[in-house]
Amino acid sequence: MNWEVRTMRSVTSWFNPTLYQKNITRFWPLWGLYLFCGLCATSVLLLQQWMTYSGGIHHYDRVYDIALDLPQMLPFLVWVALFYCVMCAMAVYGYLYNHRSACGIHAMPMSRNTLFFTNYLSGVSFFLLPNLLITLITALTECALLRAPDLGIALGRLVLVCVVLTGIELFFFGFATLCGMVTGNTLALPAFYAIFNGLAAGLYSIALAWARVVYYGVDFHSRLPRLIYWLTPVYSLTEACDFERYGDVNGVWQELPYAQQHLADPTAVAIYAVAGILLSGIALLFYRKRHMESAGDVVAFRPLFPLFRFGVGACAALTGGAVMTAFFSLENSLVFSTLCALLWAAIGYFAAEMLLQKSFRVWKQWKGCTVLLACCVVVSVCVHTDVFGIESKVPEMDDVESVRIYISPTYPDHMDWVTLAQPEQIQAVIDTHRLLVNDLDFYKNARYEGGHEQYSYIDMEYTLKNGATLSRYYSMLPLVREELADTTTLTGQLNTLVHDPQIRSQSFGMESLLRDYRVDTGELEYYDPLSDEWENVSIRENTDLLWRAVQMDFQQGNLGNLFLFDPDLTPAEENFTAPYSPSGEMVTTASREYSTAVYLRLYFLPLSFRDNSPYEQSVNYHHFRCVLTPDAQNTIQALELLGCKLPFQIP
C-alpha cells in the first residue's frame, strides 16, 4: 500500500496533455489567424513578387531584396506581439475570471502547478509553433526561388526574425501572465497590461511637462532616463529591433556590407526574454496563493488593495491636476494647482475603492484618502516653493567641465550652438545665469507683461566634471538697447557673450569653412532709400581675394559680429509700436523705416566638389553672412578693387 502511494505521487505531472490539447483545439482561430497573417507577410509575399516580376530580368534580385528586408519588419512586429500576447493570456487564463469555471477547473485532480504550466505552455505554443511553421515554410520557399549563393544570408535573416520575435513574445506573454494572476476580472487584464506597459513613460512625461512650467528656466531632457526607458518595453524593444541595413560609408549613404548589417541591440531583446520567464515565475507564486473566490474582482489579492487605491489616486492627482491647471493657465498658482491635485486625488482614490468593493458605498475609507491628500499637499508645496533649490541652482565654476549655449535672436543670422571650455568663458556664462536667478521673479512676470522692444532667450547646458549635465532654458527675456554697454544688466551681459571671439568663430563656422570649403561667389546686399528697394551686387570673380580680406577683418574683430538688435532698426529711425495702441485697439503691424545697413554674403562649395559634376543639385552649399562696418577696411578695399559700388553710408 505504501509502495502504491509512493508510485502515485511519483507520477504526479506538472503537465497535462489532455488540457494542453483542449487549449490548442479550442483556441485554434487565434493562433490560426496569426499563422495565416505570418505566412502572407513572408512566403506568400515572396511568391507574389516572383510571379509579378517573372517576366523581367531582375526578378531574382527583387525576391532576394525582400528576403533581406525581413528583419526590418521587427519594429512593427513588436506591436503585433504586444496585442497578440495579451489575447493569448486572456484565452488560456480566462477560466480564472468566472467563479463557476474557476471552481470547476480546480476541482479536477490536477495540482495548481500542473494547471499553471499546462496553460502557460499552451499560450507559448500559440506563438512559438506558428513562428516555427512560418520559418520552415518560408525557408522552403526561399530555397525554391533564390540562387544557391544567396541562400545562406537570406535564411540567416529569416532565422533572426524568428528568434527575435519569439524572444519579444516570451516577454509580453510573461508580463500578461503576471497581470492575469493579480486580477480576477476579464476586462481588468488588458487594462492593467496596457497601463503598466506605458505607465512609467506616461507619468514621467506628465511630471516633466508640469515641472517645466512650475520651475521657470529648468530644462529637463526630453529623452527618457535609462530606468524609464527600460520600464517602457514597447519603446525600448522598438528601438532595439531596428535593423541597420543602410548607413554612412565614406560620406555616402548606401547599403552596408553584409558583415556590418546588424540588429540595433540584440542584448536588450535577450534581457527582456529572460525577464518574461522570470515574470512567469512570479506569476506562478501568485497563482499558488490565489483564492478562487476572487474571480470577478479587479484585484485578486487583498494585500494589494492599499497599493491599488494609492496608485490610482496618485496617478489621478498628477494627470488630472496637470490637465486642469494647464486648461485654466494657472500652473504657477500654488493654491489652485494644489486644489486641483486634491480634487483628482480624491476622485481617483474613491473610484479605485468602488472598483474594489463593487459598490458606491465607499466613504468609510476617508482615513486612507486623508493620508493621500496630505501627501499631495506636501508635494505641491515643496514643488512650488522650490524647497530643494532646483530653480535657483547655479553650478560652481570648479564643478563645470564645459558649457554649451545658444542665444536668440541674433543678427544678421541666428547664432549656432557653441561649446565653451575656457575658464573665463564658463565664468561669463555662470555670471549670466546667476544674474537671471537673482531676479527670477522679474523675468517670470516679464513674459506676460510685454511692452519691451526686444525679447530674447538663452539655452545653457553645463557638462559637469562628475559626468552629469545641468540644462537651463530662459525664454521671453526683455532686452533694453540703452543697456548694451552695461555689463551689470542682462542685456549687457548677453552682448558681451555674443562678442566673444570663440562664440563668433563657432557661430559663423569659420573652422569648418577654412578646412572643408572653398569660396564660390559673393553678394553685396543693402537697402537703397532712394529707390525704396533692396539692391544686390553679385561678385563672381576673384572671390578668393575677397575671402582673404574677410578673414583678416574677422580675426581683428572688425567683421562678423553678432547683434542682439536688428541693425536695420536704429533708434533714430525706429518707430516702435506696442502691441496695443493707447486707445486699446490691437495694432497688427508695427511701422518701421530701414537704415542703410550693408550685408556681405559669401557662398561656399565643398572642397570635393567638381565643377563638371553631374550631381550639382545635391551639393551642400554653405554661406557666410555678416554686416559690413566702416572698420572692415580690408574688406572694403577688396570690394573696391573688384569694382563693387558701395552705398554712401556704412553704419
Side-chain angles (χ1 to χ4, degrees), residues 76-121:
F76 171 73
L77 293 178
V78 171
W79 291 90
V80 173
L82 175 71
F83 290 100
Y84 180 67
C85 288
V86 71
M87 290 190 291
C88 294
M90 293 174 66
V92 296
Y93 303 122
Y95 69 95
L96 294 174
Y97 311 131
N98 181 275
H99 186 267
R100 179 178 297 180
S101 298
C103 293
I105 292 292
H106 287 87
M108 298 173 63
M110 287 186 290
S111 66
R112 293 208 174 187
N113 288 346
T114 303
L115 286 171
F116 179 85
F117 281 112
T118 303
N119 287 313
Y120 176 77
L121 291 177

Short mmCIF file of all heavy atoms in Angstrom, two decimals, residues 76-121:
data_model
loop_
_atom_site.label_atom_id
_atom_site.label_comp_id
_atom_site.label_asym_id
_atom_site.label_seq_id
_atom_site.Cartn_x
_atom_site.Cartn_y
_atom_site.Cartn_z
N PHE A 76 7.72 46.80 -36.28
CA PHE A 76 6.26 46.65 -36.38
C PHE A 76 5.79 45.39 -35.65
O PHE A 76 4.74 45.38 -35.00
CB PHE A 76 5.85 46.60 -37.85
CG PHE A 76 4.41 46.22 -38.06
CD1 PHE A 76 3.38 47.10 -37.78
CD2 PHE A 76 4.09 44.95 -38.54
CE1 PHE A 76 2.05 46.73 -37.96
CE2 PHE A 76 2.76 44.58 -38.73
CZ PHE A 76 1.74 45.48 -38.44
N LEU A 77 6.57 44.33 -35.73
CA LEU A 77 6.19 43.08 -35.08
C LEU A 77 6.20 43.21 -33.55
O LEU A 77 5.55 42.41 -32.87
CB LEU A 77 7.13 41.96 -35.52
CG LEU A 77 7.03 41.55 -36.99
CD1 LEU A 77 8.04 40.46 -37.31
CD2 LEU A 77 5.62 41.09 -37.34
N VAL A 78 6.93 44.17 -33.01
CA VAL A 78 6.87 44.42 -31.57
C VAL A 78 5.44 44.77 -31.16
O VAL A 78 4.92 44.28 -30.15
CB VAL A 78 7.84 45.55 -31.18
CG1 VAL A 78 7.64 45.97 -29.73
CG2 VAL A 78 9.29 45.10 -31.38
N TRP A 79 4.80 45.61 -31.95
CA TRP A 79 3.41 45.99 -31.65
C TRP A 79 2.46 44.82 -31.89
O TRP A 79 1.47 44.68 -31.16
CB TRP A 79 3.02 47.20 -32.49
CG TRP A 79 3.74 48.43 -32.08
CD1 TRP A 79 4.93 48.90 -32.55
CD2 TRP A 79 3.33 49.34 -31.05
NE1 TRP A 79 5.29 50.04 -31.90
CE2 TRP A 79 4.34 50.35 -30.99
CE3 TRP A 79 2.23 49.42 -30.21
CZ2 TRP A 79 4.25 51.41 -30.08
CZ3 TRP A 79 2.15 50.48 -29.32
CH2 TRP A 79 3.14 51.46 -29.25
N VAL A 80 2.74 44.02 -32.91
CA VAL A 80 1.93 42.83 -33.13
C VAL A 80 2.01 41.91 -31.91
O VAL A 80 0.99 41.39 -31.42
CB VAL A 80 2.38 42.09 -34.41
CG1 VAL A 80 1.64 40.76 -34.55
CG2 VAL A 80 2.14 42.96 -35.64
N ALA A 81 3.23 41.70 -31.42
CA ALA A 81 3.41 40.84 -30.24
C ALA A 81 2.73 41.42 -29.02
O ALA A 81 2.18 40.68 -28.19
CB ALA A 81 4.91 40.65 -29.98
N LEU A 82 2.75 42.74 -28.88
CA LEU A 82 2.12 43.40 -27.73
C LEU A 82 0.64 43.05 -27.64
O LEU A 82 0.14 42.70 -26.56
CB LEU A 82 2.31 44.92 -27.85
CG LEU A 82 1.61 45.77 -26.80
CD1 LEU A 82 2.28 45.61 -25.45
CD2 LEU A 82 1.61 47.24 -27.23
N PHE A 83 -0.07 43.12 -28.76
CA PHE A 83 -1.51 42.85 -28.75
C PHE A 83 -1.80 41.35 -28.77
O PHE A 83 -2.74 40.89 -28.12
CB PHE A 83 -2.17 43.54 -29.95
CG PHE A 83 -2.20 45.04 -29.84
CD1 PHE A 83 -1.27 45.80 -30.52
CD2 PHE A 83 -3.13 45.68 -29.05
CE1 PHE A 83 -1.27 47.18 -30.43
CE2 PHE A 83 -3.15 47.06 -28.95
CZ PHE A 83 -2.22 47.82 -29.64
N TYR A 84 -1.01 40.60 -29.51
CA TYR A 84 -1.30 39.17 -29.65
C TYR A 84 -1.09 38.42 -28.34
O TYR A 84 -1.88 37.54 -27.98
CB TYR A 84 -0.42 38.58 -30.75
CG TYR A 84 -0.64 37.11 -30.98
CD1 TYR A 84 -1.84 36.64 -31.51
CD2 TYR A 84 0.34 36.18 -30.67
CE1 TYR A 84 -2.06 35.29 -31.72
CE2 TYR A 84 0.13 34.83 -30.88
CZ TYR A 84 -1.07 34.39 -31.41
OH TYR A 84 -1.29 33.05 -31.61
N CYS A 85 -0.06 38.78 -27.60
CA CYS A 85 0.25 38.04 -26.37
C CYS A 85 -0.80 38.25 -25.30
O CYS A 85 -1.09 37.33 -24.52
CB CYS A 85 1.63 38.45 -25.86
SG CYS A 85 2.98 37.82 -26.88
N VAL A 86 -1.37 39.42 -25.21
CA VAL A 86 -2.41 39.62 -24.20
C VAL A 86 -3.67 38.83 -24.57
O VAL A 86 -4.39 38.33 -23.69
CB VAL A 86 -2.72 41.12 -24.02
CG1 VAL A 86 -3.45 41.70 -25.22
CG2 VAL A 86 -3.54 41.35 -22.75
N MET A 87 -3.93 38.66 -25.86
CA MET A 87 -5.06 37.84 -26.27
C MET A 87 -4.81 36.37 -25.94
O MET A 87 -5.74 35.64 -25.54
CB MET A 87 -5.34 38.02 -27.76
CG MET A 87 -5.89 39.40 -28.11
SD MET A 87 -6.48 39.53 -29.82
CE MET A 87 -4.91 39.44 -30.71
N CYS A 88 -3.57 35.93 -26.09
CA CYS A 88 -3.24 34.55 -25.71
C CYS A 88 -3.44 34.34 -24.21
O CYS A 88 -3.97 33.30 -23.78
CB CYS A 88 -1.79 34.24 -26.09
SG CYS A 88 -1.48 34.22 -27.87
N ALA A 89 -3.03 35.32 -23.40
CA ALA A 89 -3.19 35.20 -21.96
C ALA A 89 -4.67 35.20 -21.57
O ALA A 89 -5.09 34.44 -20.69
CB ALA A 89 -2.45 36.35 -21.26
N MET A 90 -5.46 36.05 -22.21
CA MET A 90 -6.89 36.07 -21.92
C MET A 90 -7.54 34.75 -22.29
O MET A 90 -8.52 34.32 -21.64
CB MET A 90 -7.56 37.23 -22.68
CG MET A 90 -7.13 38.61 -22.21
SD MET A 90 -7.80 39.94 -23.22
CE MET A 90 -9.54 39.78 -22.86
N ALA A 91 -7.01 34.09 -23.31
CA ALA A 91 -7.60 32.82 -23.73
C ALA A 91 -7.29 31.70 -22.73
O ALA A 91 -8.20 31.00 -22.26
CB ALA A 91 -7.08 32.44 -25.12
N VAL A 92 -6.03 31.52 -22.36
CA VAL A 92 -5.67 30.36 -21.53
C VAL A 92 -5.99 30.57 -20.06
O VAL A 92 -6.15 29.60 -19.31
CB VAL A 92 -4.18 30.02 -21.71
CG1 VAL A 92 -3.90 29.60 -23.14
CG2 VAL A 92 -3.29 31.20 -21.31
N TYR A 93 -6.07 31.82 -19.60
CA TYR A 93 -6.38 32.08 -18.20
C TYR A 93 -7.80 32.60 -18.00
O TYR A 93 -8.14 33.07 -16.91
CB TYR A 93 -5.40 33.10 -17.61
CG TYR A 93 -3.96 32.67 -17.72
CD1 TYR A 93 -3.03 33.47 -18.39
CD2 TYR A 93 -3.53 31.47 -17.17
CE1 TYR A 93 -1.70 33.08 -18.50
CE2 TYR A 93 -2.20 31.07 -17.28
CZ TYR A 93 -1.30 31.88 -17.95
OH TYR A 93 0.02 31.47 -18.06
N GLY A 94 -8.60 32.51 -19.04
CA GLY A 94 -9.95 33.04 -18.94
C GLY A 94 -10.81 32.35 -17.90
O GLY A 94 -11.76 32.95 -17.37
N TYR A 95 -10.51 31.09 -17.55
CA TYR A 95 -11.32 30.38 -16.57
C TYR A 95 -11.19 30.98 -15.16
O TYR A 95 -12.04 30.75 -14.30
CB TYR A 95 -10.91 28.90 -16.53
CG TYR A 95 -9.54 28.65 -15.95
CD1 TYR A 95 -9.39 28.34 -14.60
CD2 TYR A 95 -8.40 28.72 -16.75
CE1 TYR A 95 -8.13 28.10 -14.07
CE2 TYR A 95 -7.15 28.48 -16.22
CZ TYR A 95 -7.01 28.17 -14.88
OH TYR A 95 -5.77 27.95 -14.35
N LEU A 96 -10.16 31.77 -14.93
CA LEU A 96 -9.96 32.35 -13.60
C LEU A 96 -10.92 33.50 -13.31
O LEU A 96 -11.05 33.91 -12.15
CB LEU A 96 -8.52 32.87 -13.47
CG LEU A 96 -7.41 31.82 -13.49
CD1 LEU A 96 -6.05 32.50 -13.50
CD2 LEU A 96 -7.54 30.90 -12.29
N TYR A 97 -11.60 34.00 -14.32
CA TYR A 97 -12.39 35.21 -14.14
C TYR A 97 -13.89 34.93 -14.04
O TYR A 97 -14.68 35.86 -14.03
CB TYR A 97 -12.10 36.19 -15.30
CG TYR A 97 -10.62 36.36 -15.52
CD1 TYR A 97 -10.05 36.27 -16.79
CD2 TYR A 97 -9.77 36.60 -14.44
CE1 TYR A 97 -8.68 36.40 -16.98
CE2 TYR A 97 -8.40 36.74 -14.62
CZ TYR A 97 -7.87 36.63 -15.88
OH TYR A 97 -6.52 36.76 -16.06
N ASN A 98 -14.23 33.65 -14.00
CA ASN A 98 -15.62 33.24 -13.79
C ASN A 98 -15.65 32.28 -12.60
O ASN A 98 -14.90 31.30 -12.57
CB ASN A 98 -16.18 32.57 -15.05
CG ASN A 98 -17.61 32.14 -14.88
OD1 ASN A 98 -17.90 31.05 -14.36
ND2 ASN A 98 -18.54 32.99 -15.35
N HIS A 99 -16.49 32.57 -11.62
CA HIS A 99 -16.47 31.80 -10.38
C HIS A 99 -16.76 30.32 -10.62
O HIS A 99 -16.09 29.43 -10.08
CB HIS A 99 -17.49 32.39 -9.40
CG HIS A 99 -17.43 31.76 -8.05
ND1 HIS A 99 -18.22 30.68 -7.69
CD2 HIS A 99 -16.67 32.04 -6.96
CE1 HIS A 99 -17.96 30.34 -6.45
NE2 HIS A 99 -17.02 31.14 -5.97
N ARG A 100 -17.74 30.03 -11.44
CA ARG A 100 -18.10 28.64 -11.69
C ARG A 100 -16.98 27.90 -12.43
O ARG A 100 -16.63 26.77 -12.07
CB ARG A 100 -19.39 28.58 -12.51
CG ARG A 100 -19.84 27.16 -12.85
CD ARG A 100 -21.16 27.18 -13.61
NE ARG A 100 -22.24 27.75 -12.79
CZ ARG A 100 -23.50 27.89 -13.21
NH1 ARG A 100 -23.82 27.50 -14.43
NH2 ARG A 100 -24.41 28.41 -12.42
N SER A 101 -16.40 28.56 -13.44
CA SER A 101 -15.32 27.92 -14.19
C SER A 101 -14.09 27.70 -13.31
O SER A 101 -13.45 26.65 -13.36
CB SER A 101 -14.94 28.77 -15.40
OG SER A 101 -16.04 28.90 -16.28
N ALA A 102 -13.77 28.68 -12.49
CA ALA A 102 -12.60 28.57 -11.62
C ALA A 102 -12.76 27.41 -10.64
O ALA A 102 -11.84 26.60 -10.44
CB ALA A 102 -12.37 29.88 -10.88
N CYS A 103 -13.92 27.34 -10.01
CA CYS A 103 -14.14 26.25 -9.06
C CYS A 103 -14.17 24.89 -9.75
O CYS A 103 -13.66 23.89 -9.23
CB CYS A 103 -15.45 26.49 -8.30
SG CYS A 103 -15.40 27.94 -7.22
N GLY A 104 -14.77 24.82 -10.95
CA GLY A 104 -14.85 23.56 -11.66
C GLY A 104 -13.48 23.06 -12.09
O GLY A 104 -13.16 21.87 -11.95
N ILE A 105 -12.64 23.95 -12.62
CA ILE A 105 -11.30 23.55 -13.07
C ILE A 105 -10.46 23.10 -11.89
O ILE A 105 -9.76 22.07 -11.95
CB ILE A 105 -10.62 24.70 -13.83
CG1 ILE A 105 -11.34 24.96 -15.15
CG2 ILE A 105 -9.14 24.40 -14.06
CD1 ILE A 105 -11.20 23.86 -16.17
N HIS A 106 -10.55 23.82 -10.78
CA HIS A 106 -9.69 23.47 -9.65
C HIS A 106 -10.23 22.29 -8.84
O HIS A 106 -9.54 21.79 -7.95
CB HIS A 106 -9.53 24.70 -8.74
CG HIS A 106 -8.64 25.75 -9.33
ND1 HIS A 106 -9.12 26.72 -10.16
CD2 HIS A 106 -7.30 25.95 -9.23
CE1 HIS A 106 -8.13 27.50 -10.54
NE2 HIS A 106 -7.01 27.06 -9.99
N ALA A 107 -11.45 21.86 -9.16
CA ALA A 107 -11.96 20.63 -8.53
C ALA A 107 -11.44 19.38 -9.23
O ALA A 107 -11.58 18.28 -8.71
CB ALA A 107 -13.49 20.64 -8.55
N MET A 108 -10.82 19.56 -10.38
CA MET A 108 -10.26 18.42 -11.11
C MET A 108 -9.01 17.91 -10.40
O MET A 108 -8.35 18.66 -9.66
CB MET A 108 -9.93 18.84 -12.55
CG MET A 108 -11.15 19.29 -13.35
SD MET A 108 -10.71 19.97 -14.96
CE MET A 108 -9.96 18.53 -15.72
N PRO A 109 -8.66 16.66 -10.60
CA PRO A 109 -7.49 16.07 -9.92
C PRO A 109 -6.16 16.53 -10.54
O PRO A 109 -5.37 15.72 -11.04
CB PRO A 109 -7.70 14.57 -10.10
CG PRO A 109 -8.46 14.46 -11.37
CD PRO A 109 -9.38 15.64 -11.42
N MET A 110 -5.95 17.83 -10.53
CA MET A 110 -4.70 18.41 -11.03
C MET A 110 -4.22 19.46 -10.04
O MET A 110 -5.03 20.24 -9.51
CB MET A 110 -4.91 19.05 -12.41
CG MET A 110 -5.10 18.06 -13.55
SD MET A 110 -5.17 18.87 -15.16
CE MET A 110 -6.76 19.70 -15.04
N SER A 111 -2.92 19.48 -9.81
CA SER A 111 -2.36 20.48 -8.90
C SER A 111 -2.31 21.83 -9.59
O SER A 111 -2.44 21.94 -10.82
CB SER A 111 -0.95 20.07 -8.48
OG SER A 111 -0.07 20.09 -9.60
N ARG A 112 -2.09 22.84 -8.78
CA ARG A 112 -2.00 24.18 -9.36
C ARG A 112 -0.76 24.32 -10.24
O ARG A 112 -0.80 25.04 -11.23
CB ARG A 112 -1.98 25.22 -8.24
CG ARG A 112 -3.29 25.30 -7.47
CD ARG A 112 -3.52 26.67 -6.91
NE ARG A 112 -4.84 26.77 -6.31
CZ ARG A 112 -5.36 27.90 -5.84
NH1 ARG A 112 -4.66 29.02 -5.91
NH2 ARG A 112 -6.57 27.92 -5.32
N ASN A 113 0.30 23.65 -9.88
CA ASN A 113 1.49 23.67 -10.73
C ASN A 113 1.18 23.10 -12.11
O ASN A 113 1.60 23.63 -13.14
CB ASN A 113 2.61 22.87 -10.08
CG ASN A 113 3.20 23.57 -8.88
OD1 ASN A 113 2.95 24.76 -8.67
ND2 ASN A 113 3.97 22.85 -8.08
N THR A 114 0.44 21.99 -12.11
CA THR A 114 0.07 21.37 -13.39
C THR A 114 -0.79 22.30 -14.22
O THR A 114 -0.57 22.46 -15.44
CB THR A 114 -0.68 20.05 -13.14
OG1 THR A 114 0.14 19.18 -12.36
CG2 THR A 114 -1.03 19.36 -14.45
N LEU A 115 -1.79 22.90 -13.58
CA LEU A 115 -2.66 23.82 -14.30
C LEU A 115 -1.88 25.01 -14.86
O LEU A 115 -2.05 25.40 -16.02
CB LEU A 115 -3.78 24.32 -13.38
CG LEU A 115 -4.90 23.32 -13.06
CD1 LEU A 115 -5.81 23.88 -11.97
CD2 LEU A 115 -5.70 23.02 -14.32
N PHE A 116 -1.01 25.57 -14.03
CA PHE A 116 -0.29 26.76 -14.47
C PHE A 116 0.65 26.42 -15.63
O PHE A 116 0.64 27.10 -16.67
CB PHE A 116 0.51 27.35 -13.31
CG PHE A 116 1.30 28.57 -13.71
CD1 PHE A 116 0.70 29.83 -13.72
CD2 PHE A 116 2.63 28.47 -14.12
CE1 PHE A 116 1.42 30.94 -14.09
CE2 PHE A 116 3.36 29.59 -14.50
CZ PHE A 116 2.75 30.83 -14.48
N PHE A 117 1.49 25.40 -15.48
CA PHE A 117 2.46 25.09 -16.52
C PHE A 117 1.78 24.65 -17.81
O PHE A 117 2.23 24.99 -18.90
CB PHE A 117 3.42 23.99 -16.03
CG PHE A 117 4.49 24.51 -15.12
CD1 PHE A 117 4.51 24.15 -13.79
CD2 PHE A 117 5.46 25.37 -15.60
CE1 PHE A 117 5.49 24.63 -12.95
CE2 PHE A 117 6.46 25.85 -14.77
CZ PHE A 117 6.48 25.49 -13.43
N THR A 118 0.68 23.92 -17.70
CA THR A 118 -0.01 23.48 -18.91
C THR A 118 -0.60 24.66 -19.66
O THR A 118 -0.46 24.77 -20.89
CB THR A 118 -1.12 22.48 -18.56
OG1 THR A 118 -0.56 21.38 -17.85
CG2 THR A 118 -1.80 21.97 -19.82
N ASN A 119 -1.25 25.56 -18.92
CA ASN A 119 -1.82 26.74 -19.56
C ASN A 119 -0.73 27.68 -20.08
O ASN A 119 -0.87 28.28 -21.15
CB ASN A 119 -2.73 27.48 -18.59
CG ASN A 119 -4.04 26.75 -18.35
OD1 ASN A 119 -4.70 26.32 -19.28
ND2 ASN A 119 -4.42 26.59 -17.09
N TYR A 120 0.35 27.79 -19.31
CA TYR A 120 1.44 28.66 -19.76
C TYR A 120 2.06 28.13 -21.05
O TYR A 120 2.29 28.88 -22.01
CB TYR A 120 2.50 28.76 -18.66
CG TYR A 120 3.71 29.57 -19.06
CD1 TYR A 120 3.68 30.96 -19.09
CD2 TYR A 120 4.90 28.93 -19.45
CE1 TYR A 120 4.78 31.70 -19.47
CE2 TYR A 120 6.01 29.66 -19.82
CZ TYR A 120 5.95 31.04 -19.83
OH TYR A 120 7.04 31.77 -20.20
N LEU A 121 2.33 26.83 -21.09
CA LEU A 121 2.89 26.24 -22.31
C LEU A 121 1.91 26.30 -23.47
O LEU A 121 2.32 26.39 -24.64
CB LEU A 121 3.32 24.80 -22.04
CG LEU A 121 4.53 24.63 -21.12
CD1 LEU A 121 4.80 23.15 -20.86
CD2 LEU A 121 5.75 25.31 -21.70
#
